[in-house]
Amino acid sequence: MSEIENLRKAIQAWNAGVDKAVAKFPERRTDFVTGSGAPVARLYTPLDLEGRGYQAEIGLPGEYPYTRGVQNTMYRGRFWTMRQYAGFASAEESNKRYKFLLKAGQTGLSVAFDLPTQIGYDSDHPLSAGEVGKVGVAIDSLEDMETLFDGIPLDQVSTSMTINAPAAVLLAMYIAVAEKQGVGPDKLNGTIQNDILKEYVARGTYIYPPEPSMRLITNIFEYCSKQVPNWNTISISGYHIREAGSTAAQEVAFTIADGIAYVEAAIKAGLGVDDFGPRLSFFFNAHNDLFEEVAKFRAARRVWAKIMKERFAAKNPKSLMLRFHTQTGGSTLTAQQADNNIVRVAIQALSAVLGGTQSLHTNSKDEALALPTEASVRIALRTQQIIANESGAAETVDPLAGSYYVESLTNRIETEALAYIKRIDEQGGAVKAIEGGFVQKEIQESAYAYQMAVEKGDRVVVGLNKFQIEEGKPTGLLRVDPSVGEGQVQKIKALKARRDGARVAAALSELEKAAKGDSNLMPPILEAVRAYATLGEVSDVLRKVFGEYRPSVMF
Amino acid sequence: MERKIRVLVAKPGLDGHDRGAKVIARALRDAGMEVIYTGLRQTPEQIVTAAVQEDADVVAMSILSGAHNHLFPRVMELLAEKGVDDVLVVGGGVIPEDDYDFLKSKGIAAIFGPGTPTGSTIEFIRNNLKRK
């Protein structure tokens, strides 16, 4: 009898015995589920991995299908980039926070912009009232960007910018600041989020309709492939999809489906898959179920590699590698007993490291209440440093590979994601599936099911629906100075009086002409930015030509 | 038959976080109320117009952008300008507790922070309607 047959028999006998014992002493619950609600068996064994070949499905680190990671030595070479998302109030304030973080040992910058900036409104726009500098830094013109990076040599840091609809404008500003520092675009390292599809689905900072938005994105791909070769031109994001309530498998599925849509759009625009493929990057969430999250990252890498190879015939290995940033799960933080969030973040961060992330943001304990203070940001960064230097998780590559449970979860998430991708393909791709509301509806169903499970007590959230205590009002929260808005308005006024108005007008009119045609929009945007046209002025020109996106509302 | 409680769930401000708004909208509907959800980025003017048009008994606003101290009172002002004084207005989202008293002084009846069970909001609405 073969070994596997022996094992099958042994397990049958073992199960019979355990079932008898359980009849007398029941387990804690009748159904065990993952953080995403998928069933969890009592035991995983080699039987669960039968029929899956090691070389084809798991392979070696740095080799197809990259299940075990995109580099061959992973963190033995160097740690992931520790990159805390930060920005608030004015460019001056945020510049101070960046210098604090760099001094504390952070290795890359990550810029949070305020909502008016993310939606292409200047600080003096009526809709900006009350919002300026609140959830990020206010950037109205190149002048603010110069202040933001003052004293930070752009050839020595990598900068990630969470900017989507106006990504081209902020990237142009970054290039222009570098020029002033004497740094050429070929020396720049960083990422723009530039992922409009998940804005329609989950994050909400869209401006233009899908078609011109996809054009702006492919224009950036093309421009950067020639001028800014080390720039990650997009960060295809599952993070916000998960925050909106999706399961782990949905996070992988909808993110990869968006990725497919971007690749198709770029190919349709005449680009070669291996010209832009290597610069595509991803962004995922990390929730509390350690093993499911590790499996999710591993499955995402495998799914993407296979799609790029089999569907798009990419040849360059770099086009096949899913490189990603991770942020711990904001929606898992509780306002109740906020110190407990430090522990949640540690588990989540560990999952990202065990899952092979390229960079990581750890949330601060107070983020269910307000923007984080310096003290709580330091703990969050220290959490990463402890994992890196003390936990041992970084000493070997993909340490959980071969775990019967983790490999089974990896396979399950892959299967579930592929089934969703098939359904999305049948609807004509991600853009159509989003316009039709399919993706949003699937996420909302999961979000509601989760909320109900918490309210019924099926799912325990420590400090929230179990182990509660009486607490006083939280103290020591960060408050953004409300005068920031007024300061920005004054700055715009002064800038508009000082700049060369004729040059601005000419640049904006060139941009309008280009937008109506089909040439690449990056050069005219860069020229407008250099002339100190404001973000709002540039965005308004494009609004005029492209129109604005109007979502259909449902719940 | 008793008229259903009509609730306008609204997202003032520019933030796109509407997981909470959608969950509460659905929970209120499942609790037998008539729910209208405005969608994102609604100005105070749009919210008040919708509340009047829809003849809402309740306006439930969700905000996570930090602009609540500016936008919530503005909604109350506009309601007053239209002579509407019998609509129950509540808020939710990431709002520091330090701001609760200020918002209540402007007429927001209750603020529901992160982690509030939907049942608490439903019960509060049923017990505090201004229209009987």
Side-chain angles (χ1 to χ4, degrees):
Chain A
M1 204 177 335
S2 70
E3 199 185 324
I4 202 93
E5 280 311 311
N6 276 332
L7 178 60
R8 206 183 303 278
K9 285 223 163 115
I11 291 170
Q12 268 170 11
W14 182 83
N15 268 329
V18 176
D19 284 344
K20 225 182 268 171
V22 166
K24 240 192 245 167
F25 305 102
E27 292 177 318
R28 282 184 289 111
R29 41 194 310 155
T30 46
D31 298 308
F32 288 80
V33 295
T34 65
S36 293
V40 179
R42 183 180 294 140
L43 184 72
Y44 290 84
T45 69
L47 293 187
D48 295 286
L49 306 181
E50 249 194 302
R52 290 271 190 164
Y54 179 86
Q55 289 285 13
E57 297 297 325
I58 302 173
L60 296 171
E63 292 182 12
Y64 186 82
Y66 303 99
T67 309
R68 303 202 61 177
V70 295
Q71 291 120 3
N72 46 23
T73 62
M74 287 305 289
Y75 309 130
R76 289 166 67 100
R78 66 171 191 84
F79 291 133
W80 60 94
T81 303
M82 298 180 193
R83 194 193 294 280
Q84 297 297 97
Y85 184 45
F88 60 99
S90 61
E92 287 84 357
E93 284 288 327
S94 297
N95 177 264
K96 269 188 231 157
R97 178 68 69 97
Y98 296 158
K99 287 178 175 163
F100 162 84
L101 284 166
L102 290 169
K103 213 176 144 210
Q106 172 164 294
T107 48
L109 294 177
S110 173
V111 182
F113 297 100
D114 72 357
L115 286 163
T117 305
Q118 293 188 50
I119 305 175
Y121 295 130
D122 286 339
S123 296
D124 58 358
H125 191 282
L127 287 174
S128 303
E131 308 272 14
V132 176
K134 282 281 161 52
V135 304
V137 58
I139 300 292
D140 291 313
S141 73
L142 178 57
E143 192 180 44
D144 293 324
M145 204 71 161
E146 290 162 4
T147 308
L148 189 66
F149 293 106
D150 182 53
I152 301 172
L154 296 189
D155 53 349
Q156 287 167 39
V157 292
S158 79
T159 303
S160 168
M161 293 190 274
T162 298
I163 195 73
N164 293 280
V169 188
L170 274 300
L171 174 60
M173 286 184 185
Y174 194 81
I175 294 169
V177 172
E179 278 170 1
K180 296 207 160 189
Q181 288 188 1
V183 174
D186 57 322
K187 297 280 186 305
L188 295 178
N189 282 284
T191 307
I192 40 175
Q193 199 161 77
N194 198 26
D195 170 13
I196 200 65
L197 293 177
K198 66 89 176 55
E199 296 295 329
Y200 300 132
V201 168
R203 194 167 173 277
T205 66
Y206 42 75
I207 304 176
Y208 320 110
E211 198 176 315
S213 295
M214 295 299 269
R215 171 191 172 184
L216 276 166
I217 291 166
T218 52
N219 282 177
I220 291 170
F221 288 0
E222 185 191 18
Y223 183 85
C224 288
S225 71
K226 293 173 188 144
Q227 307 290 332
V228 204
N230 299 320
W231 198 264
N232 295 313
T233 50
I234 192 167
S235 173
I236 306 164
S237 305
Y239 183 82
H240 318 88
I241 289 170
R242 189 69 179 279
E243 285 300 284
S246 84
T247 64
Q250 287 172 336
E251 180 186 355
V252 172
F254 300 150
T255 307
I256 301 244
D258 288 350
I260 292 170
Y262 294 125
V263 172
E264 283 175 347
I267 290 173
K268 207 173 140 205
L271 308 182
V273 67
D274 285 321
D275 292 332
F276 65 87
R279 300 319 306 173
L280 304 178
S281 65
F282 288 80
F283 174 22
F284 290 111
N285 211 314
H287 275 211
N288 288 327
D289 187 325
L290 183 74
F291 300 109
E292 184 174 52
E293 294 302 298
V294 174
K296 177 188 78 182
F297 300 125
R298 301 173 82 247
R301 269 194 299 269
R302 186 156 78 206
V303 172
W304 185 246
K306 287 184 182 173
I307 285 172
M308 286 299 273
K309 186 174 180 178
E310 290 164 14
R311 192 187 286 213
F312 296 113
K315 297 277 182 298
N316 185 343
K318 290 204 158 65
S319 303
L320 310 177
M321 294 179 192
L322 180 144
R323 297 170 299 123
F324 66 101
H325 172 70
T326 307
Q327 179 169 340
T328 57
S331 64
T332 69
L333 304 182
T334 60
Q336 297 74 16
Q337 302 177 46
D339 286 347
N340 296 342
N341 293 326
I342 296 172
V343 182
R344 294 190 176 97
V345 168
I347 294 169
Q348 296 165 4
L350 183 61
S351 82
V353 171
L354 293 171
T357 195
Q358 275 58 63
S359 63
L360 178 60
H361 165 107
T362 32
N363 288 333
S364 299
K365 62 176 180 140
D366 41 7
E367 292 190 61
L369 302 161
L371 288 189
T373 63
E374 259 182 23
S376 59
V377 170
R378 187 184 289 116
I379 296 173
L381 179 58
R382 293 289 179 258
T383 304
Q384 295 199 36
Q385 291 162 336
I386 290 168
I387 292 171
N389 295 287
E390 300 183 23
S391 77
E395 310 305 274
T396 186
V397 178
D398 190 24
L400 291 183
S403 149
Y404 305 120
Y405 182 38
V406 171
E407 295 295 356
S408 297
L409 281 172
T410 306
N411 294 341
R412 178 185 60 73
I413 290 176
E414 179 187 25
T415 305
E416 221 179 297
L418 289 174
Y420 263 121
I421 290 168
K422 186 160 172 280
R423 286 172 76 185
I424 290 170
D425 284 341
E426 285 163 4
Q427 293 169 56
V431 176
K432 289 277 180 293
I434 290 166
E435 284 175 338
F438 168 75
V439 175
Q440 297 91 315
K441 193 165 162 289
E442 291 294 309
I443 296 170
Q444 283 162 33
E445 289 296 328
S446 300
Y448 196 65
Y450 175 86
Q451 180 67 23
M452 291 304 118
V454 170
E455 296 194 6
K456 284 191 200 114
D458 285 348
R459 193 175 280 285
V460 172
V461 181
V462 172
L464 180 72
N465 63 357
K466 207 171 179 181
F467 314 113
Q468 300 101 318
I469 53 170
E470 282 299 321
E471 289 184 276
K473 220 168 24 176
T475 52
L477 299 178
L478 183 94
R479 282 198 91 90
V480 175
D481 180 357
S483 69
V484 172
E486 190 42 42
Q488 285 299 120
V489 171
Q490 292 309 325
K491 269 199 261 176
I492 294 176
K493 224 182 196 172
L495 173 76
K496 285 187 176 169
R498 200 172 57 235
R499 68 185 184 181
D500 179 350
R503 188 180 165 197
V504 173
L508 291 176
S509 134
E510 277 306 305
L511 174 61
E512 185 174 343
K513 222 185 316 169
K516 286 176 178 158
D518 59 6
S519 60
N520 195 307
L521 295 175
M522 273 305 291
I525 289 174
L526 190 53
E527 178 48 31
V529 160
R530 284 189 191 120
Y532 291 91
T534 65
L535 171 73
E537 289 170 328
V538 172
S539 303
D540 278 346
V541 167
L542 299 180
R543 276 190 186 94
K544 199 166 110 190
V545 180
F546 295 155
E548 293 187 60
Y549 179 68
R550 301 264 172 250
S552 56
V553 172
M554 42 175 201
F555 64 90
Chain B
M1 204 182 92
E2 203 182 329
R3 178 179 177 274
K4 282 185 175 180
I5 299 171
R6 291 177 67 80
V7 186
L8 182 79
V9 174
K11 275 289 297 173
L14 301 180
D15 80 276
H17 304 97
D18 64 352
R19 174 177 179 171
K22 285 171 169 170
V23 164
I24 199 73
R26 180 149 165 202
L28 297 177
R29 188 177 65 193
D30 288 354
M33 301 182 196
E34 198 85 56
V35 182
I36 305 108
Y37 171 49
T38 62
L40 302 178
R41 292 193 214 166
Q42 299 296 300
T43 62
E45 286 78 6
Q46 288 169 318
I47 292 170
V48 169
T49 304
V52 171
Q53 268 172 9
E54 300 288 348
D55 191 23
D57 304 304
V58 183
V59 174
M61 295 186 283
S62 164
I63 188 164
L64 287 85
S65 77
H68 47 269
N69 281 351
H70 176 77
L71 295 167
F72 283 8
R74 185 74 191 128
V75 168
M76 299 312 295
E77 269 170 38
L78 290 167
L79 282 172
E81 276 174 29
K82 294 209 182 244
V84 178
D85 59 0
D86 60 350
V87 172
L88 174 68
V89 183
V90 298
V94 175
I95 296 173
E97 261 182 78
D98 281 340
D99 295 343
Y100 285 15
D101 287 345
F102 168 75
L103 294 172
K104 284 179 183 168
S105 78
K106 297 290 172 185
I108 308 295
I111 305 286
F112 300 103
T116 308
T118 53
S120 310
T121 309
I122 292 165
E123 195 187 321
F124 182 89
I125 288 175
R126 287 203 175 120
N127 293 335
N128 290 276
L129 287 173
K130 294 191 178 176
R131 294 176 183 168
K132 298 290 170 191

